[in-house]
Amino acid sequence: MSRLGQIKQTFKSVRIEIKAFLRRQQWKEALIFFCFILLAFGFWLLQSLQQEYEIDIKIPVKYKNVPPDISFTETPPEAITVKVKDKGSVLLNYSFGRSFAPIEANMKAQPEKAGKLVISRKDIESDIKKHLIATTSLLSFEPQHIDAAYSKRIKEEIPAVFEGTVQTNAGFKVSGDISITPRNISVYASDVVLDTLKEIKTVYTEIKKGNKTVTRTIQLEKIDGATLEPTSVTITVPIEEYTEKTLEIPVVCTNLPRHYTLRTFPSVVKVSCSVPLSRFKDVSADDFEIRISFADLEQSASGTLPLQLDKKPSWVDVATISPDRIEFILEQTKSND
């Protein structure tokens, strides 16, 4: 028998067994029993949904047009808890199928210099009823009024700083300072809060596999008790391809008296540095200095001195000196004076 024939025969056998199982008396009785159970549950559910119940629902409160230069003395309520009564079917809609638009507390509607945001019980009740179906009874709500005191805040300009890491691809490096726009952030807060702030950090950000200049808009970290304007900044990270350049730099002795002659071995050393590809031609030996002092020469008993770079451009990276030590001979010559 072919493989296709075997598959057909298998399906035929399974179909026959399923039909035989469904024809058994026990299965029919169990199926009828479960149908009655489901039917009874359905009738019970319909009956239950016609009865009246009480539930609590929460309606959010939104504070509009709050000036940045004021702060609430205590955190005003974020929601109103409302107790309502209605049929189960209606309450089910409140619980699962309905989202409530926030009750709006508009600061523009408050008297100037009042020092307090006041929303009366009558206004809150009126707003709540707009959210309820006509058959629903409003039993109670908390809080019954909003009475939130506020005070003026001080404004101060505080610098923003980038908080994060920058990783570049092989052969690429950050070629300059990270710029932030705007540089200063307007911070509205009490003098107690402002005294603790020296800088405003961005949220921690990772930049990976950089192979060109990166510009991003990043949110600033939130600060309790303070309002920031703006709440985000744009950072620019200059990333360039780097290459190596080698220069010959003379070793210069400072404060060498006229009646001394100095010979160094070698007199010129090689400085290898990593520079941005775009500024390769801008780097010259005049940008570097290696200096040794006469006092160091006098104090050296071995006739050798270690070398270090005393001057290099800030945008040049990883400069190495070869050799990093020199030998010297210091001779005193006859004075003609």
Side-chain angles (χ1 to χ4, degrees):
M1 183 182 294
S2 66
R3 184 174 181 79
L4 182 60
Q6 290 177 344
I7 293 173
K8 287 181 178 180
Q9 185 63 34
T10 302
F11 275 112
K12 187 177 180 180
S13 300
V14 171
R15 190 168 63 251
I16 291 171
E17 290 180 6
I18 292 173
K19 285 182 178 180
F21 175 76
L22 293 175
R23 287 172 181 167
R24 292 176 185 170
Q25 184 64 27
Q26 295 90 337
W27 168 251
K28 289 181 179 180
E29 292 175 355
L31 186 60
I32 293 170
F33 174 75
F34 281 117
C35 286
F36 276 109
I37 290 289
L38 289 173
L39 193 61
F41 175 76
F43 279 120
W44 173 83
L45 185 61
L46 287 173
Q47 183 65 27
S48 297
L49 291 177
Q50 294 306 308
Q51 297 179 15
E52 289 192 338
Y53 299 93
E54 296 178 6
I55 63 167
D56 289 340
I57 58 176
K58 285 186 178 292
I59 301 178
V61 180
K62 181 181 180 181
Y63 298 89
K64 291 181 60 180
N65 301 311
V66 179
D69 61 343
I70 73 163
S71 62
F72 289 104
T73 332
E74 296 179 358
T75 304
E78 297 180 352
I80 305 292
T81 302
V82 182
K83 183 181 288 293
V84 294
K85 182 179 182 180
D86 207 330
K87 292 181 180 180
S89 56
V90 177
L91 299 182
L92 201 62
N93 179 46
Y94 285 136
S95 300
F96 300 104
R98 189 184 182 95
S99 59
F100 295 97
I103 294 173
E104 294 186 348
N106 194 343
M107 285 290 292
K108 279 188 176 180
Q110 301 296 310
E112 290 187 13
K113 300 181 181 179
K116 189 180 290 186
L117 170 65
V118 178
I119 309 296
S120 67
R121 185 185 189 283
K122 181 180 178 181
D123 290 338
I124 294 176
E125 183 175 353
S126 175
D127 283 337
I128 291 173
K129 287 182 177 179
K130 293 177 184 178
H131 293 78
L132 303 179
I133 297 172
T135 58
T136 304
S137 300
L138 173 60
L139 302 180
S140 64
F141 56 89
E142 287 293 337
Q144 296 193 358
H145 64 90
I146 295 175
D147 192 349
Y150 60 84
S151 59
K152 281 280 185 179
R153 294 195 284 188
I154 304 169
K155 175 186 175 183
E156 191 169 314
E157 300 290 324
I158 299 178
V161 296
F162 172 69
E163 182 76 3
T165 58
V166 180
Q167 298 176 1
T168 59
N169 286 341
F172 292 83
K173 294 180 182 179
V174 177
S175 59
D177 294 333
I178 297 174
S179 67
I180 301 177
T181 306
R183 189 69 185 86
N184 293 318
I185 306 300
S186 297
V187 182
Y188 298 88
S190 65
D191 53 355
V192 176
V193 174
L194 290 174
D195 287 344
T196 64
L197 296 177
K198 303 302 178 187
E199 58 189 22
I200 305 297
K201 295 180 180 179
T202 65
V203 296
Y204 190 85
T205 304
E206 291 184 349
I207 297 173
K208 299 180 179 180
K209 298 182 179 180
N211 59 6
K212 61 180 180 180
T213 296
V214 175
T215 300
R216 285 190 188 176
T217 298
I218 303 176
Q219 292 294 315
L220 296 169
E221 279 192 346
K222 293 182 179 179
I223 300 170
D224 290 339
T227 300
L228 308 181
E229 284 191 349
T231 56
S232 63
V233 292
T234 299
I235 67 158
T236 300
V237 185
I239 297 175
E240 289 189 57
E241 186 176 359
Y242 271 61
T243 187
E244 189 173 279
K245 188 169 187 175
T246 302
L247 302 163
E248 291 188 342
I249 311 298
V251 179
V252 178
C253 179
T254 58
N255 305 320
L256 183 68
R258 286 184 298 173
H259 56 280
Y260 278 93
T261 301
L262 174 66
R263 294 186 179 89
T264 61
F265 307 96
S267 60
V268 174
V269 297
K270 291 183 177 180
V271 172
S272 297
C273 55
S274 186
V275 298
L277 197 60
S278 64
R279 305 186 71 173
F280 185 82
K281 294 181 180 179
D282 297 340
V283 186
S284 67
D286 296 335
D287 298 320
F288 298 84
E289 282 187 7
I290 299 175
R291 297 191 294 265
I292 56 177
S293 69
F294 178 70
D296 291 336
L297 296 174
E298 286 189 309
Q299 293 174 8
S300 175
S302 63
T304 64
L305 277 179
L307 299 177
Q308 65 179 20
L309 274 174
D310 295 289
K311 175 188 170 185
K312 77 172 183 66
S314 59
W315 46 271
V316 169
D317 198 14
V318 193
T320 59
I321 305 172
S322 180
D324 59 357
R325 299 183 70 88
I326 59 165
E327 298 178 356
F328 68 89
I329 297 176
L330 186 63
E331 297 178 341
Q332 186 173 5
T333 59
K334 292 182 179 180
S335 174
N336 296 326
D337 295 340

